[in-house]
Amino acid sequence: MIFYSINLAIFIIYSLFTNTYYKNHKVYFWLVLVHLTLLLGLRSSVVGTDTSQYVGFYLEQNTGFNGNGTLVYSSLSNFINWISNGNYHVFLFVLSLATVFFILKSIEILDNDPDLMFWSVFIYLTFYFYFESFNIQRQMLAISMTMFSIALLSKKCYFESGLMIVLAIGIHSTAIFALIGFLIWMARKNRITFIAVVLLAALSNLFLNKLLNNFSQIFDHYQMYTDAVLESGGGTLLLGAFLLLLVIITVIFIDISDEKIMSFALFMTTIGAILFIFGSKSQLIIRMANYFAIYAIIFIPQAIIKLTARFDQRIVKTVLEVVVIIVGLVIFYYKLSHNLGDIIPYSLNAL
């Protein structure tokens, strides 16, 4: 736990340096990319509940797992195995580099403000999205790719966006649920459609378990998650409640039809928050929720800016930032103290 706290402190220190004394956003981007990739990519196969399973299938090149609706992942695994002569360290490092890169590029494009990157990455870390990759790395890679697909869509790179979502589905079959994001991107966003989304997300609890059960029957690898129960809820109830509260405050005081990217991130965060709340005991629902809740790293910093401008009071910005820091640290230490994902103790690869 101390090890991860030290790395969080290191991130904050060089963030302050590159955002104040030596303000260079390109250097900052590469610093974060290198730092987070090394931390994630150099871990041993014992760090993360599912990591040893991934490595085991990689070393055996077992197509029964990799071929379960994940042709792209299987092909990538085979290619890395071939060029690295079966070295699993290279395998973990490549997946880690891709995951972090797609997240950072998505932040860079969707935030559209270099000054917001610190807050987006801070939320990415403390709200535990980054640390999920230590455990469910294949899915988090798919999530980062679906997010990058939306970022490309926002730049009107339609072919590249479509290709990226197809590749994401080929990495992890559950990425098919991220197609909802494309519908939300195209939909008109106002308070009426917001209420409709809230109601649909809440009511989805009535049929989501059945839908996911049918999904796991098609892709039988996920069958083990349909009946799995989280004993503590993994802190997702707290996270969902906070996100939903911030969303409601933003909708009350801000014209959400005013800005396309922020309103999109707000809608996606809303769905993720509600799934966190209603599905806090289901592993598979929480995993689905991450495809939506990941956009909180875009929504929260932009909401702070908009709310500050709305009230034209510096104190509003300060209060909101302090609240985000406190909530982030509470979630961060709660999840670490319960060793969610079995990422403690941290162990480096034996290179």
Side-chain angles (χ1 to χ4, degrees):
M1 188 168 175
I2 295 176
F3 174 79
Y4 294 107
S5 299
I6 291 173
N7 272 276
L8 179 61
I10 291 172
F11 160 73
I12 292 173
I13 290 170
Y14 69 66
S15 294
L16 291 173
F17 181 77
T18 53
N19 281 288
T20 54
Y21 178 74
Y22 180 71
K23 197 165 187 176
N24 189 314
H25 297 298
K26 185 173 291 187
V27 170
Y28 183 57
F29 178 95
W30 284 101
L31 271 175
V32 176
L33 178 64
V34 170
H35 177 201
L36 299 189
T37 299
L38 290 177
L39 182 60
L40 180 60
L42 295 183
R43 75 192 190 281
S44 168
S45 62
V46 300
V47 181
T49 306
D50 292 354
T51 308
S52 58
Q53 183 188 47
Y54 289 147
V55 170
F57 280 114
Y58 168 76
L59 294 176
E60 296 172 13
Q61 287 300 284
N62 188 320
T63 57
F65 171 75
N66 293 344
N68 192 356
T70 56
L71 178 62
V72 176
Y73 180 79
S74 179
S75 301
L76 178 62
S77 173
N78 291 336
F79 178 71
I80 297 174
N81 187 283
W82 175 65
I83 64 172
S84 67
N85 197 27
N87 190 321
Y88 85 82
H89 307 311
V90 177
F91 173 65
L92 290 180
F93 190 85
V94 170
L95 295 186
S96 301
L97 175 61
T99 303
V100 176
F101 176 79
F102 286 132
I103 287 291
L104 293 183
K105 286 302 292 184
S106 299
I107 291 172
E108 186 177 64
I109 294 171
L110 294 174
D111 270 345
N112 199 30
D113 182 350
D115 292 332
L116 295 181
M117 178 164 277
F118 164 74
W119 284 107
S120 289
V121 178
F122 177 82
I123 294 165
Y124 177 52
L125 293 174
T126 59
F127 284 35
Y128 221 69
F129 296 115
Y130 169 69
F131 293 100
E132 292 282 14
S133 298
F134 285 72
N135 177 26
I136 52 173
Q137 183 157 32
R138 186 165 64 99
Q139 182 177 358
M140 294 310 294
L141 171 58
I143 288 173
S144 71
M145 293 171 71
T146 61
M147 191 177 196
F148 187 55
S149 176
I150 292 294
L152 291 171
L153 182 63
S154 74
K155 303 291 285 186
K156 298 184 179 180
C157 300
Y158 301 118
F159 174 77
E160 294 87 345
S161 175
L163 177 62
M164 188 59 61
I165 189 69
V166 170
L167 292 174
I169 294 172
I171 291 289
H172 204 282
S173 308
T174 57
I176 196 169
F177 289 95
L179 291 173
I180 295 173
F182 286 80
L183 297 177
I184 292 177
W185 179 266
M186 294 183 290
R188 184 184 298 274
K189 299 170 191 68
N190 51 43
R191 291 177 181 174
I192 295 176
T193 52
F194 170 76
I195 294 172
V197 165
V198 169
L199 291 175
L200 285 173
L203 291 173
S204 69
N205 187 55
L206 299 176
F207 59 83
L208 194 56
N209 279 319
K210 184 177 181 179
L211 176 63
L212 293 176
N213 185 59
N214 292 334
F215 178 83
S216 64
Q217 289 178 6
I218 298 173
F219 302 103
D220 55 19
H221 173 67
Y222 306 109
Q223 187 68 49
M224 60 182 171
Y225 298 113
T226 56
D227 299 322
V229 174
L230 299 177
E231 294 180 2
S232 65
T236 54
L237 188 61
L238 169 64
L239 177 54
F242 171 73
L243 292 177
L244 189 58
L245 176 62
L246 185 57
V247 161
I248 292 172
I249 291 173
T250 304
V251 170
I252 291 173
F253 292 105
I254 302 297
D255 181 3
I256 59 175
S257 63
D258 208 23
E259 185 131 355
K260 190 172 183 66
I261 291 178
M262 193 202 79
S263 61
F264 167 79
L266 181 148
F267 273 57
M268 294 293 279
T269 302
T270 301
I271 296 173
I274 292 173
L275 292 180
F276 275 159
I277 294 170
F278 286 104
S280 62
K281 298 296 183 181
S282 167
Q283 286 193 26
L284 197 53
I285 292 179
I286 294 305
R287 289 194 173 199
M288 298 309 101
N290 282 325
Y291 282 102
F292 304 95
I294 188 66
Y295 289 93
I297 69 178
I298 303 298
F299 162 66
I300 294 176
Q302 295 195 17
I304 291 174
I305 295 298
K306 293 291 184 182
L307 288 169
T308 301
R310 168 68 175 79
F311 292 102
D312 195 23
Q313 295 288 333
R314 177 73 182 179
I315 188 64
V316 173
K317 185 172 187 289
T318 301
V319 169
L320 290 173
E321 288 177 345
V322 169
V323 169
V324 169
I325 290 172
I326 292 173
V327 171
L329 292 178
V330 168
I331 292 171
F332 178 70
Y333 285 110
Y334 172 84
K335 287 178 176 282
L336 283 180
S337 65
H338 287 76
N339 195 17
L340 299 183
D342 290 326
I343 69 172
I344 299 174
Y346 184 86
S347 175
L348 287 171
N349 280 326
L351 298 177

